[in-house]
Amino acid sequence: MNEDPQVLILEDDAELGAVLARGLDEEGFSPVLAFTGADALAKVAHHEPDVLIIDVGLPDSDGRDVCQALRARGMAAPVLFLTARDSLPDVLSGFSSGGDDYMTKPFAVEELLARLRALVRRGGQDREVPMEIGPFSLDPTTYEIHCGGVRRGVTPTEFRLLATLASRFDSVVPRADLIDAAWPSGAIVHENTLDVYLARLRRKLRDVPEAPRIVTTQRVGYRLTWPESD
């Protein structure tokens, strides 16, 4: 059985894809290439990789739409976006579509490898830490939250944020601590990125009856607590 972490590379540039695949193979990864969004969706349907590299600009779709479609299917593997676009709106849209990290072209292969290893390592750590607070629980094997008989899927980054908040339940967690826990070292995390993720988590928690809520403490951080009774 091959224990090397499998990485799906969604890149329409065949030459760059081959270079990435060769470099990753030499560094202990098991690469699988896809050249279109449809190809990636089909391959992930048969086997979920440990991590994905997704180019934003694709001939048949936008890489962010592909990521969003995979998340909607319940895929929990971390996603690293590659793109030539480096504006803040582009970065935030990547994270809001379910991405976990973001690199702009051109890039150093060494840095890409370090980012991938961090994402795979954190994904493994996520799955080792089950957590329960009263009727509310985080399932690290499926990246789901459970409460009141309802299940709701979250992304790996959302899971890490929620697990960090839950580990200090009813206490304020500083913004810097949340960023350190949720993103690998060296990731591009703008000031608004954390807010985008927490806003999305708030929406998901609202869909789960009796689940705790995320409360903001201005200029300090965030706190996970039970909702106030009406």
Side-chain angles (χ1 to χ4, degrees), residues 67-84:
C67 180
Q68 199 162 23
L70 290 170
R71 294 297 186 215
R73 290 183 181 184
M75 188 201 73
V79 170
L80 184 150
F81 282 116
L82 289 180
T83 180

Side-chain angles (χ1 to χ4, degrees), residues 100-121:
D100 298 277
D101 202 353
Y102 198 100
M103 288 188 68
T104 55
K105 300 176 181 178
F107 56 88
V109 174
E110 293 78 7
E111 182 180 359
L112 175 67
L113 288 167
R115 300 273 191 99
L116 289 177
R117 291 190 184 105
L119 288 172
V120 171
R121 183 171 60 251

Side-chain angles (χ1 to χ4, degrees), residues 9-13 15-24 53-56 80-86 101-116 186 188:
I9 305 167
L10 174 50
E11 170 59 65
D12 68 307
D13 183 329
E15 183 177 352
L16 176 57
V19 169
L20 287 174
R22 184 166 58 250
L24 290 170
I53 300 171
I54 296 181
D55 185 19
V56 171
L80 184 150
F81 282 116
L82 289 180
T83 180
R85 309 169 188 171
D86 60 358
D101 202 353
Y102 198 100
M103 288 188 68
T104 55
K105 300 176 181 178
F107 56 88
V109 174
E110 293 78 7
E111 182 180 359
L112 175 67
L113 288 167
R115 300 273 191 99
L116 289 177
I188 300 172

Side-chain angles (χ1 to χ4, degrees), residues 4 6 17-18 20-21 24-25 53 57 65 72-73 80 84 130 132 142 152-153 158 160 163-164 182 197 208 216:
D4 292 341
Q6 187 179 91
L20 287 174
L24 290 170
D25 181 66
I53 300 171
D65 293 335
R73 290 183 181 184
L80 184 150
E132 293 185 1
T142 61
R152 190 78 162 85
E158 291 170 346
R160 291 190 289 272
T164 303
Y197 267 83
V208 181
T216 303

Side-chain angles (χ1 to χ4, degrees), residues 48 76-78 122-130 140-143 156 159:
E48 182 173 319
R122 290 198 176 205
Q125 291 170 350
D126 292 344
R127 296 175 185 271
E128 297 171 0
V129 188
T141 62
T142 61
Y143 289 112
F159 182 93

Side-chain angles (χ1 to χ4, degrees), residues 3 5 13 16 52 56 83 97 112 128 130 140 143 149 155 159 167 177 191 201 223-225:
E3 297 182 356
D13 183 329
L16 176 57
L52 294 86
V56 171
T83 180
S97 67
L112 175 67
E128 297 171 0
Y143 289 112
T155 70
F159 182 93
S167 70
D177 289 4
E191 186 69 17
L201 264 179
R223 176 169 58 98
L224 189 68
T225 190

